[in-house]
Amino acid sequence: GNSVTQMEGPVTLSEEAFLTINCTYTATGYPSLFWYVQYPGEGLQLLLKATKADDKGSNKGFEATYRKETTSFHLEKGSVQVSDSAVYFCAIQGAQKLVFGQGTRLTINP
Amino acid sequence: DTGVSQDPRHKITKRGQNVTFRCDPISEHNRLYWYRQTLGQGPEFLTYFQNEAQLEKSRLLSDRFSAERPKGSFSTLEIQRTEQGDSAMYLCASSPQRRLGNEQFFGPGTRLTVL
C-alpha cells in the first residue's frame, strides 16, 4: 500500500530562517500529495496539495513540488515566522483515504 | 459554511464502557471519513462513507468498532467494551466528490481517554 516517510522532528529555527521538511513516499498508480498543518489547539488544515508529477503546490509562502523521479514532496519556506510554529504532516492519497506521515513539530524562535 | 463539527470534544470513560461519537460534515459533502490519531503520530484511516454506504474499513477497525451514516448526513462512531488502547483523538473529515486530489476538511476531533 501507499506510505509516507517524513523528516523526524522536532525542528527549531530562528525567525526568517529557511525551512525544509523532507517527505518521501511509496505508491502505486498516480497518487495526490498533500501537506496538512496542525496549529496548537486547532484541527488539521490543508496547507497545500499537488495532484500530478511536477505540480507545485503553494500557500502562505510555503511550497512543495511533486517529484515523481525522486518520489518526494519536500516542504519549503524561504523565511519562517513565529506564527508558523505547528506540526506539519505529509500525506498521500491513492483512491480515497489519506495516509499520513508521523508529523514534524516546528518551533520558530523570535 | 460552518465546517466539520464533532461531539463531544472530550470523553473520559472507564474500561469496558461503550462510547459513541458524532460527526456532522460540511453540508454539501457526500464523503465522510474517520481517522484515529495517537500522541506523536499522524492520523490513521479507520473507515469512509460515500453518502450512506460504508465503502472501506481499515484492519484497525476491530469488531468492537462500528460506524454508521444512516441518512448520508451525520455519522456516528461507536466503540464497545472500550480498552485503554482505544485512548486517542478520533478525527472526522468530509470531502466533496471530485476525481483528483479531493481535499478532506477535518473537524476538531474527539479526544477519548479510557481509564
Side-chain angles (χ1 to χ4, degrees):
Chain A
N2 296 340
S3 67
V4 168
T5 301
Q6 191 174 335
M7 175 177 171
E8 287 190 20
V11 174
T12 302
L13 296 172
S14 298
E15 205 166 20
E16 299 183 3
F18 183 86
L19 169 71
T20 300
I21 301 178
N22 290 339
C23 172
T24 57
Y25 67 90
T26 57
T28 55
Y30 304 95
S32 296
L33 300 172
F34 301 81
W35 278 99
Y36 276 82
V37 59
Q38 192 167 35
Y39 297 104
E42 298 185 17
L44 276 169
Q45 302 174 24
L46 179 68
L47 182 59
L48 53 83
K49 71 177 185 183
T51 58
K52 60 184 187 297
D54 300 324
D55 267 3
K56 178 186 283 188
S58 61
N59 186 25
K60 299 181 180 179
F62 291 89
E63 293 183 340
T65 301
Y66 189 159
R67 301 283 189 201
K68 195 168 175 64
E69 64 275 12
T70 55
T71 62
S72 65
F73 193 55
H74 305 321
L75 182 68
E76 296 182 335
K77 186 174 185 181
S79 176
V80 293
Q81 306 300 312
V82 172
S83 58
D84 294 327
S85 297
V87 181
Y88 292 81
F89 294 93
C90 185
I92 187 170
Q93 182 184 48
Q96 287 304 320
K97 67 184 180 188
L98 288 166
V99 176
F100 288 86
Q102 77 272 27
T104 302
R105 181 174 297 278
L106 174 66
T107 302
I108 307 300
N109 293 323
Chain B
D1 179 1
T2 58
V4 178
S5 62
Q6 293 186 245
D7 183 70
R9 296 290 304 274
H10 303 273
K11 178 70 177 177
I12 300 174
T13 191
K14 293 181 179 179
R15 190 177 54 183
Q17 298 295 304
N18 300 342
V19 295
T20 300
F21 311 140
R22 176 180 171 123
C23 171
D24 287 88
I26 294 170
S27 58
E28 63 268 25
H29 288 180
N30 65 343
R31 290 179 173 162
L32 187 148
Y33 309 80
W34 286 98
Y35 293 84
R36 181 171 69 187
Q37 185 178 19
T38 54
L39 203 60
Q41 299 297 316
E44 295 175 295
F45 171 78
L46 293 178
T47 188
Y48 105 92
F49 293 83
Q50 181 164 307
N51 300 312
E52 66 276 10
Q54 189 174 18
L55 296 187
E56 187 176 351
K57 293 196 296 185
S58 163
R59 289 190 305 272
L60 293 175
L61 215 65
S62 75
D63 56 6
R64 296 185 298 106
F65 288 70
S66 62
E68 293 184 344
R69 195 182 183 197
K71 297 183 180 178
S73 56
F74 73 91
S75 175
T76 57
L77 177 68
E78 181 184 15
I79 309 174
Q80 296 183 327
R81 305 181 302 281
T82 52
E83 302 173 354
Q84 288 185 327
D86 297 331
S87 295
M89 178 76 86
Y90 290 83
L91 300 171
C92 177
S94 70
S95 73
Q97 186 168 351
R98 291 197 194 109
R99 285 192 59 199
L100 288 177
N102 48 326
E103 173 187 352
Q104 294 181 20
F105 294 80
F106 282 81
T110 295
R111 182 171 296 282
L112 173 66
T113 302
V114 181
L115 302 177

